[in-house]
């Protein structure tokens, strides 16, 4: 769960630099990305911020992406967590064999690619995540790195949307 939720774009644009960096860091897990996004304020609308976040993410070096990936807990590490309900760590299935398969495939994935599996899972069940993981294990490293950046962009956007809330925020900040 993000500490900064529903703050609104105007409040984000007006925040002191350190607080703005902290708010975005909660979303993206990268100090440099958060600092660059905060430095580029003010944003005229949500979409402008989202486009800039994507541009900065896609311009990052692989070593920076690897650093971001280290912050992601594995699929199912916080099963059914209400605080993390939109995140891959909260994925859960009542069938222990499905959870065991997720864990085994996540370990295979990390051995094959050298970084942990990441996926935008909001709305997907454990079986869907498992199918995607199995499918992605067929990728070569270069293809998978592209897939990972796209997944990170989707996750960042979702988190930024929660941070900002609706246009204008919730008037509680």
């Amino acid at each position: 769960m993000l500490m900064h939720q529903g703050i609104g774009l105007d409040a984000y644009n007006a925040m002191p630099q350190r607080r703005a960096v902290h708010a975005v860091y909660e979303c993206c897990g990268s100090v440099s990305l958060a600092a660059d996004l905060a430095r580029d304020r003010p944003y005229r609308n949500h979409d402008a911020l989202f486009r800039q976040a994507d541009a900065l993410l896609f311009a990052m070096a692989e070593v920076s992406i690897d650093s971001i990936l280290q912050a992601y807990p594995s699929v199912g590490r916080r099963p059914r967590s209400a605080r993390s309900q939109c995140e891959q760590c909260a994925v859960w299935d009542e069938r222990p064999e499905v959870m065991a398969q997720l864990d085994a495939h996540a370990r295979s994935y990390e051995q094959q690619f050298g970084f942990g599996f990441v996926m935008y899972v909001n709305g997907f069940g454990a079986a869907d995540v498992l199918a995607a993981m199995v499918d992605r294990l067929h990728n070569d490293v270069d293809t998978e790195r592209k897939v990972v950046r796209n997944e990170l962009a989707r996750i960042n956007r979702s988190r930024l949307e929660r941070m900002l809330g609706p246009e204008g925020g919730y008037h509680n900040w």
Side-chain angles (χ1 to χ4, degrees), residues 18-157:
R18 286 181 90 173
R19 190 165 174 205
V21 170
H22 183 260
V24 174
Y25 176 79
E26 290 178 345
C27 300
C28 67
S30 167
V31 173
S32 63
L33 180 68
D36 288 344
L37 271 176
R39 192 175 305 109
D40 291 342
R41 293 174 301 153
Y43 295 98
R44 69 182 181 285
N45 56 40
H46 289 193
D47 193 52
L49 185 141
F50 300 153
R51 281 194 319 275
Q52 183 63 4
D54 287 348
L56 291 167
L57 176 73
F58 284 98
M60 293 179 90
E62 292 299 343
V63 68
S64 297
I65 297 297
D66 290 345
S67 179
I68 292 169
L69 292 173
Q70 290 177 16
Y72 280 84
S74 294
V75 174
R77 287 290 177 235
R78 297 181 197 143
R80 295 188 268 187
S81 168
R83 286 180 48 125
S84 303
Q85 66 183 351
C86 298
E87 304 288 333
Q88 68 184 33
C89 62
V91 168
W92 173 255
D93 194 288
E94 295 291 335
R95 299 166 293 180
E97 65 273 12
V98 173
M99 295 306 290
Q101 287 177 331
L102 275 171
D103 186 56
H105 282 85
R107 280 187 269 115
S108 294
Y109 179 97
E110 189 160 4
Q111 287 174 346
Q112 180 173 330
F113 294 113
F115 49 85
F117 179 81
V118 66
M119 179 179 170
Y120 174 76
V121 298
N122 194 16
F124 293 107
D128 301 316
V129 175
L130 180 59
M133 192 181 299
V134 168
D135 187 51
R136 287 171 53 183
L137 279 165
H138 297 288
N139 289 342
D140 60 62
V141 174
D142 290 336
T143 300
E144 189 56 22
R145 284 200 168 275
K146 291 174 187 170
V147 170
V148 163
R149 282 185 194 254
N150 283 311
E151 294 296 320
L152 287 172
R154 293 175 72 196
I155 292 166
N156 286 351
R157 180 168 292 219

Side-chain angles (χ1 to χ4, degrees), residues 6-16 19-20 41-46 49 160 163-171 173:
I7 62 176
L9 185 61
D10 290 341
Y12 173 69
N13 281 336
M15 281 181 174
R19 190 165 174 205
R41 293 174 301 153
Y43 295 98
R44 69 182 181 285
N45 56 40
H46 289 193
L49 185 141
L160 288 167
M163 179 194 81
L164 294 174
E167 292 284 345
Y170 292 111
H171 307 291
W173 284 83

